[in-house]
Amino acid sequence: MNSSVLQEVDERSNLAGTNKFELLLFRLGEENQSSRRELFGINVFKVREALVMPQVTVMPGAPAHVLGVANIRGQIIPVIDLPGVVGCTPRTGLNILIVTEYERSVQGFAVEEVEEIVRLEWGKVLSAEANAVGGMVTSIARLEDDQTTRLALVLDVEKVLRDVLPSRVHEVRDDQPVGTALGLKPGAVILAADDSFVARTQIEKTLQSLHAPFISTKTGKEAWERIQALAREAKAEGKRVEDKVQLVLTDLEMPEMDGFTLTRKIKQDERFKNIPVVIHSSLSGSANEDHARSVGADAYVAKFVAEELGQTIRKAIAAHA
C-alpha cells in the first residue's frame, strides 16, 4: 500500500465547517452476486490508522465475521472481516487493517486494499436507498476528475457494528428510563438530522421516551429545507418559528450538507438564531467540539448514550426558556 496514504491519514487537516471532508477509499473484493469490485469509503475522521494486516489471535466463540483480536500499539481490539459482512470475496486476501474509532469504541476492519484518500464536498455525496448492500450504505459519493466519474459506497459503520458487535452499541430499550418528559411547547417539535438508520432509530426511541414530538430527517439539506418550511407555516399562522421548532439535533457527517454547515446557516439566520442546536456525533475530539462552538452550536454530545443525550437536550432547551 502506498505509504503516502498512511501519512495522509496521520496528517489529515481539519476540514470541519467547510462542507468538505476526506474519504478513505478501499476495496473489499468481488461481490458474491455479481463479481464486481465496488469502491467503498469511510470518513477519514473516523480512521486512526491503516496498516499492513498484523497478527490476529483467534478467539473461541467470537461472533460471526470477527476474525479475532489484534494488539495495536498496546490496545487489544477486535478485527472485523468487512468483506464477509458486506458479501464480498477478496481476490488477494485480507491485506490491510483500518483501525477506526466510533461511538467511544475502537475496532479494526480487515479489507483487501486501500486505494487513496480523496477530498470532496458533501454536496457530491447523495443519500442512498436503505436497501443498498443490506442497508449498510448510507450514501454514494460521486468522485469526478477530468476524464472519469467514479462512485464510492459510503458504509454505515454504526449498522456494521450493531450487526457484528451488538454489545458495543448502546441500544435504547423501550423500558429504559431516559428522564422525565421534556415538556415542549404545545405544537413544537425537535427537528433531528442523521443519515444513519441505526442512529435515527436510537434518537427516535430516546425522544419518544422523553415524550418529545420530533421530525426526523436524513441529511442536513433536508433539515434546512424543513426548518424553512416550518418558518413559513409559523408566519402564516402568526406565530414565531420557535413555537414550531424548539430544538435542532444534528449529526456532523451527512450527505449534501454536513452538521457544521447546517448549524452555521441556522445561527446566521435572523429567523432561527434563537433556536438551540445540539450537535450529536460519533466524531470525538476537542477540535470538533471547539468548532461546534465556533459555528454557534449550543452543545456537543458524543454518540451514543441515551441518558447523556436526554440531559444535553434538556439543558439546551432550559437555557433558551
Side-chain angles (χ1 to χ4, degrees), residues 249-264:
L249 177 67
T250 178
D251 186 22
L252 284 184
E253 303 176 276
M254 292 180 291
E256 299 175 337
M257 183 190 294
D258 68 14
F260 285 130
T261 304
L262 172 63
T263 303
R264 189 172 61 246

Side-chain angles (χ1 to χ4, degrees), residues 71-90:
N71 184 343
I72 306 298
R73 307 191 192 289
Q75 185 173 9
I76 304 299
I77 67 169
V79 175
I80 296 169
D81 174 8
L82 199 51
V85 173
V86 173
C88 294
T89 302

Side-chain angles (χ1 to χ4, degrees), residues 46-48 75-78 80 99-109 157-158 161-162 165-170 282 284 302-304:
K46 302 283 184 70
V47 177
R48 280 193 174 184
Q75 185 173 9
I76 304 299
I77 67 169
I80 296 169
V99 181
T100 66
E101 184 171 0
Y102 279 84
E103 300 192 11
R104 314 177 194 209
S105 68
V106 179
Q107 53 281 312
F109 293 114
V157 178
E158 281 90 344
L161 290 179
R162 189 189 68 169
L165 293 170
S167 62
R168 292 194 162 212
V169 178
H170 296 270
S282 56
S284 52
K303 290 180 178 175
F304 186 92

Side-chain angles (χ1 to χ4, degrees), residues 4 15 19 28 36 48 67 155 223 230:
S4 66
L15 297 176
N19 210 36
L28 298 179
R36 290 174 50 142
R48 280 193 174 184
L67 299 172
L155 285 177
L230 289 164

Side-chain angles (χ1 to χ4, degrees), residues 31-255:
E31 283 190 21
N32 295 342
Q33 302 298 324
S34 65
S35 298
R36 290 174 50 142
R37 293 185 78 241
E38 299 289 0
L39 193 59
F40 291 87
I42 56 174
N43 193 326
V44 170
F45 266 126
K46 302 283 184 70
V47 177
R48 280 193 174 184
E49 60 182 317
L51 62 157
V52 173
M53 183 63 68
Q55 180 179 349
V56 176
T57 301
V58 176
M59 299 291 287
H65 304 305
V66 174
L67 299 172
V69 296
N71 184 343
I72 306 298
R73 307 191 192 289
Q75 185 173 9
I76 304 299
I77 67 169
V79 175
I80 296 169
D81 174 8
L82 199 51
V85 173
V86 173
C88 294
T89 302
R91 288 178 179 172
T92 62
L94 298 171
N95 304 308
I96 303 295
L97 187 69
I98 302 174
V99 181
T100 66
E101 184 171 0
Y102 279 84
E103 300 192 11
R104 314 177 194 209
S105 68
V106 179
Q107 53 281 312
F109 293 114
V111 304
E112 182 177 36
E113 62 180 301
V114 165
E115 291 212 346
E116 60 179 318
I117 291 173
V118 294
R119 183 174 296 185
L120 68 161
E121 297 177 1
W122 278 111
K124 299 285 187 184
V125 182
L126 306 176
S127 186
E129 295 295 329
N131 60 0
V133 195
M136 291 186 184
V137 171
T138 59
S139 48
I140 299 173
R142 200 167 64 248
L143 314 173
E144 299 169 336
D145 56 32
D146 295 338
Q147 270 85 38
T148 60
T149 298
R150 296 178 296 160
L151 298 179
L153 306 177
V154 183
L155 285 177
D156 184 347
V157 178
E158 281 90 344
K159 175 157 179 28
V160 173
L161 290 179
R162 189 189 68 169
D163 290 354
V164 178
L165 293 170
S167 62
R168 292 194 162 212
V169 178
H170 296 270
E171 289 285 3
V172 184
R173 303 186 313 273
D174 293 334
D175 61 345
Q176 181 176 344
V178 179
T180 56
L182 284 179
L184 300 189
K185 301 171 192 171
V189 300
I190 288 176
L191 178 62
D194 201 300
D195 67 324
S196 165
F197 173 77
V198 170
R200 282 198 309 277
T201 302
Q202 292 173 317
I203 290 164
E204 289 167 7
K205 283 184 178 179
T206 301
L207 295 177
Q208 284 165 355
S209 340
L210 294 167
H211 302 283
F214 60 86
I215 295 172
S216 191
T217 62
K218 295 179 183 177
T219 71
K221 181 170 180 281
E222 187 184 344
W224 175 241
E225 291 169 351
R226 199 63 183 264
I227 196 172
Q228 292 182 92
L230 289 164
R232 289 191 292 271
E233 284 180 23
K235 186 175 181 181
E237 296 169 13
K239 296 179 178 177
R240 301 178 310 153
V241 67
E242 295 97 315
D243 297 325
K244 292 276 190 180
V245 182
Q246 198 152 349
L247 179 136
V248 175
L249 177 67
T250 178
D251 186 22
L252 284 184
E253 303 176 276
M254 292 180 291

